[in-house]
Amino acid sequence: MINPYQSYIKTELDSLPVAGIIAKGYDRIILELKSAIENIEKRNIKGKIENISKAIDLLTTLRLGLDFEKGGEIARNLEDIYSFCEREIQLANLKNDVERLQNVIKVLDTVKSGWEELATKS
């Protein structure tokens, strides 16, 4: 039986331009990082690790989608941003550093805004 929520998400993603789908990826990473912060504050280490793992997996997916031939300097800049975010997330994970995660959220939220703007022009 088809899950109505999954059906809704699939319909939503199918109707979005690529930039909109990428923005949704950022939304999901940010959501995972916010959950990781909550889990750090609750001292729920297992939950934190699960959130961090999902965030890094999603970030890796975005990184693997970079097209350096077509994207040129923009793709290289995104690669640098993704590398920075991944390092910060890993350090935050090791030290339970909420501030580092909040900084990553700010960076990703700024980049997400650019993708959202691009999606409205598509």
Side-chain angles (χ1 to χ4, degrees):
M1 187 164 139
I2 296 175
N3 177 327
Y5 177 74
Q6 288 175 331
S7 179
Y8 166 78
I9 295 296
K10 181 177 177 358
T11 301
E12 181 184 21
L13 290 177
D14 287 347
S15 65
L16 287 174
V18 172
I21 294 170
I22 293 169
K24 289 286 183 194
Y26 285 103
D27 277 338
R28 187 60 199 211
I29 295 168
I30 291 167
L31 179 68
E32 292 297 340
L33 294 177
K34 286 179 178 179
S35 294
I37 290 169
E38 288 176 18
N39 281 317
I40 288 169
E41 291 168 347
K42 293 177 184 174
R43 302 198 188 293
N44 177 353
I45 301 305
K46 182 180 178 199
K48 174 202 73 164
I49 291 169
E50 289 172 3
N51 296 129
I52 295 289
S53 293
K54 288 177 187 176
I56 289 177
D57 286 348
L58 290 161
L59 203 53
T60 300
T61 300
L62 289 174
R63 176 184 272 150
L64 291 173
L66 292 173
D67 185 336
F68 293 98
E69 286 183 29
K70 292 180 184 175
E73 185 178 348
I74 293 171
R76 286 189 294 281
N77 290 341
L78 287 170
E79 168 74 13
D80 291 343
I81 290 168
Y82 297 159
S83 293
F84 166 79
C85 289
E86 188 173 329
R87 275 192 310 275
E88 290 297 296
I89 292 168
Q90 289 172 341
L91 286 170
N93 185 35
L94 288 172
K95 300 178 180 188
N96 290 324
D97 190 334
V98 168
E99 189 175 333
R100 280 187 193 271
L101 293 178
Q102 290 169 336
N103 289 336
V104 171
I105 289 169
K106 288 177 192 169
V107 168
L108 293 176
D109 197 46
T110 301
V111 178
K112 180 188 81 151
S113 296
W115 284 105
E116 287 172 336
E117 185 177 328
L118 186 61
T120 62
K121 295 177 181 179
S122 297

